[in-house]
Amino acid sequence: MALASAAFERSNPAMDKLDVSTAIVEIPQKTVKKITCMGSGFVGGPTSAVIAYKSDVEVTVVDINAERIAAWKSESLPIYEPGLDKIVQAVSAGVHRSQQHDSHEPNARSDHVAPVRYGRLFFSTDVDQAIADADLIFVCVNTPTKTHGIGKGSAADLDFVEAATRSIARVATQDKIVVEKSTVPCRTAQSIREILAANARPGVRFDVLSNPEFLAEGTAIRDLLNPDRIIIGSMPTPTGYQAAATLAGIYEQWVPRERIITMNLWSSELSKLAANAMLAQRISSVNALSAICEATGADVDEVSYACGLDSRIGPQMLKAGPGFGGSCFQKDIFNIVYLSESLHLYEIADYWRAVINMNEHQKQRFTKRIISCLYNNLAGKKLAVLGFAFKKNTSDTRESPAITLVSNFVAERARVAIYDPRVQENQIWRELVSSGSDAGTLKRNVSVCRTAYEACVAADAVVVMTEWDEFSNKATGGTTVKQEERKPLATINVNSLPSTYTSSQDAVHDASEQLSSPNLVGAASFQVPSRKGTGVIIKDPSSGQIKTFTNQRPFSGSNPLLLPHGFSTPVQSPPRQILSHQSRYVSTQQFPGEYLTSEGFPNTCETAQITDMPHSNGVSGRLQTAEVAHKGATPTRLDWARIASGMRKPRFVFDGRNILDHSKLEALGFRVEAIGKRGTNVSE
């Protein structure tokens, strides 16, 4: 039995339901032991993982894309969301983890013991079997904008929704609850109900619910663990109410009941489109104001801050930038435009279309400003684009403003170097080719780099397109990060022959991703004429001793570091493939008089001078230091002085996200241009 609002049986608006939350009746729930999620994308994957993690229900995620399902089963998940990998590992079948570990939940206390449930999350390509086994089915398939026929460019393409619905009707041999979670046009649930009813086996009944997701990419796990609201739409029938109460009962295992809101199907469907349209409208509004700020000398950050202090407005989604991106905002506004036109509400359609027009205008306006500052000529010039994801803390590039700007730069015959810490290179190429740019021209003029420093070498300008924390030279609260405030990094020494230090932060990131080891302390990468490779520092699980190992090859997806997986067993000696530092001793000024083996400098030691380290061929030599980044540390902020030293003059920085301290950059000799602010050399 579950508690459900008495407003189920009333016709009052949703706000009235909230106002009478104390008036409750008992509605019997159906038993749900197994859930199937059809679709393993940015919605289906994280949603299923959290439901399996927080409830007592077994969840199977199915997809016809075998490559994607294989990725979900691996340690390299197909999408990036902070905290997602830990939750998937904790609840996936066959993953063994100790009960005594830090919580997987973001921002949780480090001494919290998280509940671990084994074998509650599965991934499969056997769609029919998953449908047959499920008591409740989430439909989380893609609903892109149509690229053909009537409604091309604005209507939602519901091919995948219909295909999923027909599969459910064909396979199901018992009653099921079907939950529409994909973002769809209003009244799509009616089509689903009709298809299911027309194709159902004799005696099989389906109850259709609408349960839209309100996830923000980059904070999806936090949003799922602690949602603002859960919306459940149902038909106003006893079986509809029972289905809604059943789904509410699942969410009630971790979501307060007052945040679970029930309404009719059509209101639920439209609420998702309306929410995204209003959020996008706020972004376009502040971007429109940014143009006025640039012309008048006002500062868009100050203007938006002042507006956000008004309790009727609030501070959220008032950050000016190069335009909104992602899979939802533009698509959902187009859905409203098409719906309005279908209902002959042409003025309404024009109003919402203007939000998208402003978004496109912002991208082109930023492009033109860059061209103008670079003396109206980009031909042959190198532009370093920092960030390709549409926002930080996600690997999603759909509708990213960077796609448009890079395409514009290439059209102007510029050379473009792109770096993003989370977006895979093949994904960048796929987006650029899909945008309509010629593949041959792209290959000649665009490069994808492993580090920001590589991208910025010999660049005429740096264009910040994603607000990744590592790009910023501001600390929390807006103050500049001082070099001396940064936590000292441990150091490991490599051969003293002329060497090139290469991205220790990339090394520790790659090592962390591949090893998923709680014992990994740090990593470094280095290159010398006779040797190129990586080093790691680990804590021996059996003795607690800190050890250092090196590998002759750099970390990469196709060339992983060869170490015992997860260090789940004591490391008695380095594996044969690993080159151990066999030096005689280590001495440090921090620990005077203490002599340590090369495989054992303390975890608290911030620097260590390792001497007499042999080459892989046994030849000893004097040593040189390379930085080692600590696992779990905040990504190292860019050294903008280092970037400045390698750029062509005059040096330009175009701050598309207003994440940089302009005065500090100007002191380094940069000319800084930012959205919503007057440029460095503009006279007052």
Side-chain angles (χ1 to χ4, degrees):
M1 303 291 284
L3 298 180
S5 173
F8 268 136
E9 301 181 3
R10 292 145 44 128
S11 59
N12 294 354
M15 280 303 298
D16 289 343
K17 295 182 181 183
L18 292 177
D19 291 340
V20 294
S21 58
T22 55
I24 54 178
V25 295
E26 289 188 347
I27 295 180
Q29 292 185 23
K30 294 184 177 180
T31 300
V32 175
K33 295 182 178 179
K34 294 185 178 182
I35 290 176
T36 287
C37 177
M38 302 181 72
S40 62
F42 278 90
V43 175
T47 300
S48 298
V50 170
I51 289 176
Y53 180 69
K54 299 296 289 187
S55 76
D56 57 3
V57 180
E58 180 182 297
V59 184
T60 299
V61 181
V62 293
D63 203 303
I64 60 175
N65 187 329
E67 182 179 356
R68 178 173 283 263
I69 289 297
W72 277 108
K73 292 181 178 181
S74 73
E75 293 185 359
S76 299
L77 302 185
I79 64 175
Y80 171 71
E81 276 289 333
L84 173 61
D85 56 342
K86 298 296 187 291
I87 288 181
V88 170
Q89 289 167 5
V91 294
S92 291
V95 176
H96 176 77
R97 283 189 174 267
S98 168
Q99 289 279 353
Q100 301 295 324
H101 59 77
D102 291 347
S103 173
H104 304 291
E105 298 185 16
N107 303 319
R109 285 166 48 98
S110 60
D111 59 351
H112 175 70
V113 179
V116 178
R117 303 178 177 90
Y118 300 106
R120 293 225 177 256
L121 180 63
F122 301 87
F123 298 94
S124 174
T125 56
D126 192 343
V127 178
D128 287 3
Q129 187 63 53
I131 291 173
D133 292 342
D135 303 301
L136 184 149
I137 300 172
F138 282 112
V139 178
C140 299
V141 296
N142 194 20
T143 55
T145 301
K146 286 186 70 174
T147 59
H148 58 277
I150 298 175
K152 174 182 177 181
S154 58
D157 188 337
L158 299 179
D159 283 353
F160 296 124
V161 173
E162 182 171 343
T165 303
R166 291 184 179 277
S167 294
I168 294 170
R170 174 177 56 82
V171 173
T173 58
Q174 58 185 7
D175 295 356
K176 298 188 186 294
I177 299 173
V178 178
V179 183
E180 168 197 80
K181 205 162 188 66
S182 299
T183 303
V184 294
C186 189
R187 297 197 72 83
T188 299
Q190 182 61 30
S191 300
I192 293 175
R193 294 178 69 245
E194 291 177 0
I195 292 172
L196 290 173
N199 294 276
R201 296 170 183 253
V204 176
R205 176 183 176 83
F206 299 99
D207 290 298
V208 178
L209 301 176
S210 170
N211 176 218
E213 52 84 17
F214 295 96
L215 308 180
E217 291 184 47
T219 60
I221 299 302
R222 185 181 68 191
D223 297 340
L224 286 162
L225 292 171
N226 187 31
D228 293 330
R229 77 284 202 198
I230 297 293
I231 302 296
I232 300 175
S234 70
M235 291 297 292
T237 64
T239 57
Y241 296 150
Q242 183 184 43
T246 301
L247 181 57
I250 295 171
Y251 284 118
E252 281 177 349
Q253 295 182 58
W254 77 95
V255 180
R257 183 61 183 87
E258 61 270 16
R259 297 187 191 176
I260 302 175
I261 313 303
T262 57
M263 57 185 65
N264 73 49
L265 274 172
W266 329 127
S267 296
S268 177
E269 289 177 330
L270 188 56
S271 68
K272 172 58 188 288
L273 299 179
N276 279 345
M278 290 181 180
L279 292 172
Q281 179 192 50
R282 286 172 69 94
I283 296 174
S284 282
S285 295
V286 75
N287 282 342
L289 290 171
S290 72
I292 299 175
C293 290
E294 292 169 23
T296 61
D299 185 317
V300 72
D301 283 345
E302 295 174 350
V303 172
S304 60
Y305 175 73
C307 292
L309 293 176
D310 189 323
S311 60
R312 298 168 299 174
I313 299 173
Q316 299 298 319
M317 308 297 283
L318 288 180
K319 185 71 173 177
F324 56 75
S327 63
C328 293
F329 284 1
Q330 178 168 296
K331 179 187 70 173
D332 292 353
I333 293 176
F334 274 136
N335 272 338
I336 291 180
V337 169
Y338 184 71
L339 176 63
S340 300
E341 291 177 338
S342 300
L343 298 172
H344 307 293
L345 302 173
Y346 300 111
E347 293 81 4
I348 309 303
D350 291 343
Y351 173 83
W352 288 110
R353 188 180 285 109
V355 174
I356 294 177
N357 291 343
M358 176 54 62
N359 195 56
E360 293 304 312
H361 172 70
Q362 186 77 344
K363 301 174 193 176
Q364 301 305 328
R365 198 174 67 81
F366 193 36
T367 300
K368 291 176 181 178
R369 184 174 181 186
I370 293 170
I371 295 172
S372 175
C373 289
L374 292 174
Y375 314 109
N376 293 306
N377 175 35
L378 297 187
K381 294 178 179 176
K382 179 180 178 181
L383 276 64
V385 174
L386 300 186
F388 200 81
F390 84 92
K391 63 184 288 190
K392 73 175 184 177
N393 293 333
T394 182
S395 58
D396 195 352
T397 57
R398 288 175 290 182
E399 304 296 340
S400 172
I403 300 171
T404 299
L405 267 79
V406 170
S407 299
N408 290 343
F409 297 155
V410 172
E412 293 289 331
R413 297 189 296 165
R415 294 178 297 117
V416 183
I418 303 169
Y419 166 71
D420 190 287
R422 287 293 180 179
V423 179
Q424 298 295 318
E425 180 174 353
N426 61 350
Q427 187 175 344
I428 293 175
W429 289 118
R430 185 168 57 249
E431 291 285 14
L432 292 175
V433 171
S434 299
S435 71
S437 298
D438 176 70
T441 302
L442 287 171
K443 287 291 184 181
R444 288 191 300 271
N445 294 282
V446 177
S447 60
V448 179
C449 304
R450 280 190 56 81
T451 72
Y453 299 112
E454 178 188 347
C456 294
V457 170
D460 294 272
V462 177
V463 184
V464 178
M465 290 298 298
T466 310
E467 67 279 22
W468 290 105
D469 292 340
E470 66 187 81
F471 299 158
S472 176
N473 62 346
K474 293 180 179 179
T476 302
T479 57
T480 303
V481 178
K482 297 179 180 179
Q483 186 69 32
E484 59 269 22
E485 292 175 347
R486 299 176 184 172
K487 180 180 179 180
L489 297 175
T491 60
I492 185 172
N493 293 313
V494 296
N495 191 275
S496 62
L497 295 173
S499 62
T500 302
Y501 160 65
T502 57
S503 184
S504 63
Q505 186 60 40
D506 281 354
V508 74
H509 169 259
D510 291 344
S512 300
E513 289 290 304
Q514 293 180 31
L515 298 178
S516 299
S517 171
N519 301 305
L520 181 65
V521 177
S525 58
F526 54 85
Q527 182 175 348
V528 296
S530 61
R531 185 175 174 193
K532 178 179 181 180
T534 50
V536 296
I537 304 172
I538 67 167
K539 181 188 294 183
D540 189 323
S542 60
S543 65
Q545 187 183 40
I546 300 299
K547 297 186 176 184
T548 60
F549 299 129
T550 61
N551 187 325
Q552 291 193 71
R553 301 178 299 175
F555 294 111
S556 70
S558 59
N559 184 19
L561 184 68
L562 301 175
L563 286 174
H565 174 68
F567 300 106
S568 57
T569 58
V571 181
Q572 302 297 336
S573 61
R576 182 176 59 182
Q577 300 92 332
I578 302 300
L579 301 175
S580 174
H581 297 328
Q582 299 293 341
S583 30
R584 291 176 302 180
Y585 61 85
V586 178
S587 63
T588 71
Q589 294 182 351
Q590 288 88 342
F591 301 89
E594 183 177 6
Y595 296 92
L596 307 169
T597 66
S598 63
E599 293 183 334
F601 66 81
N603 193 20
T604 56
C605 178
E606 297 295 353
T607 61
Q609 299 301 317
I610 304 177
T611 60
D612 296 332
M613 184 189 298
H615 286 191
S616 58
N617 60 9
V619 179
S620 297
R622 189 168 56 85
L623 301 172
Q624 194 172 37
T625 297
E627 291 181 343
V628 176
H630 289 284
K631 180 187 179 185
T634 301
T636 306
R637 299 291 182 92
L638 289 187
D639 183 346
W640 282 94
R642 178 178 171 184
I643 290 177
S645 66
M647 290 180 62
R648 296 177 61 188
K649 296 180 180 180
R651 309 181 188 97
F652 286 86
V653 172
F654 296 95
D655 185 3
R657 296 290 184 170
N658 284 317
I659 61 172
L660 300 173
D661 186 314
H662 296 182
S663 62
K664 289 291 183 180
L665 293 181
E666 291 163 8
L668 294 172
F670 286 104
R671 175 176 171 179
V672 185
E673 301 285 334
I675 288 177
K677 301 180 182 183
R678 302 189 80 176
T680 300
N681 293 342
V682 177
S683 59
E684 297 300 329

